[in-house]
Amino acid sequence: MKRSDRLVGITNYLIEHPMELVSLPSFSTMYNAAKSSISEDLTIVNNMFQQEGIGYLESVAGAAGGVKYIPHLSREKCNEFLDQLCNRLEDSSRLLPGGYLFMSDLLGEPQTVRDIGRLFATAFSDRDIDVVVTVATKGIPLAYSVASFLNVPVVIVRRDPKVTEGSTVSINYVSGSSRKIQTMVLPKRSLPDGSKICIIDDFMKAGGTINGMVNLLKEFNAKVTAIGVLAEAEDEEEERVVEQDQYLSLVRIHNVDVKNNQIEVIKGNILESME
Ligand SMILES: O=P(O)(O)OC[C@H]1C[C@H](OP(=O)(O)OP(=O)(O)O)[C@H](O)[C@@H]1O
């Protein structure tokens, strides 16, 4: 097989299997090529990934070694995407009662959801994450996207117990959005003890929902190592229950002026977290 053909195959395989260790011998077998040729191929692919600003190959030495494709958007691509996101969201017709924003159209676009997942994975790929957790419903597509780039499973917290899920753990929390006591439920068998968790949600206002998930996960002796929200809104009435340095947001809803039907949407704090 020619090098040019191998490069197409190797590139596709790595992009399809982010964060997964692939040994050189397995590539040699896949493409019937010497390890030295594969090693040269991987150098070319790594250089191109970095030139394209889509990530890099991490080499793992030793007999059980190999390479991992680490999704990592360049700062330029992150800025470009966040600018587009802010422009699309800064549309006063999206404004909903209570300072909420209609975002379901974005959450229905596979390419937008993929880009959001890739951006969070860029910020979280160096954190030790076993599972991505979200709460039904609007956080679900984002959780799957982030999880696909981190190569980890998704666990979904419900707001009501289902007989089809076995014994469950539940906690009560106040979501600033509805200002009412709500319940969060997670089946006991959902998470191995001590799991390291990335929490993802679409929106954070008072932070009661995020905080609820943090408290629920304490019941599983889980460790929250990353929290990501697509959008955060400043909540005038409610004191934010999640500290600024505990979460990353892609965009921030700023200066909501319901009377004049105006909103300003600016970049969130995610870029500050990246070198
Ligand atoms: O920070 P808080 O003040 O708690 O609000 C953020 C919550 C509220 C809203 O969910 P809902 O629209 O209530 O529920 P769903 O996601 O099922 O649409 C959003 O998806 C976050 O989960």
Side-chain angles (χ1 to χ4, degrees), residues 184-196:
M184 269 184 197
V185 184
L186 193 60
K188 277 212 171 67
R189 62 192 75 184
S190 300
L191 282 174
D193 188 69
S195 298
K196 293 180 282 304

Side-chain angles (χ1 to χ4, degrees), residues 55-80:
Y56 58 91
L57 298 188
E58 184 181 272
S59 291
V60 179
V67 288
K68 267 187 198 177
Y69 163 51
I70 311 293
H72 195 94
L73 285 182
S74 63
R75 197 170 186 82
E76 183 195 346
K77 281 192 183 297
C78 289
N79 264 312
E80 205 177 291

Side-chain angles (χ1 to χ4, degrees), residues 76-90:
E76 183 195 346
K77 281 192 183 297
C78 289
N79 264 312
E80 205 177 291
F81 179 65
L82 290 178
D83 284 338
Q84 284 167 18
L85 212 48
C86 290
N87 292 338
R88 285 191 69 185
L89 287 172
E90 206 161 57

Side-chain angles (χ1 to χ4, degrees), residues 32 40 51 55 69 110 153 173 186 235 239 256:
N32 189 24
E40 289 161 4
Q51 200 173 306
Y69 163 51
Y173 72 103
L186 193 60
D235 190 311
E239 180 59 30
V256 175

Side-chain angles (χ1 to χ4, degrees), residues 100 135-138 159 175-177 201-209:
Y100 270 78
V135 61
T137 305
K138 291 194 286 290
R159 292 212 175 86
S175 167
S177 349
D201 207 356
D202 65 309
F203 202 90
M204 179 170 74
K205 199 157 182 296
T209 303

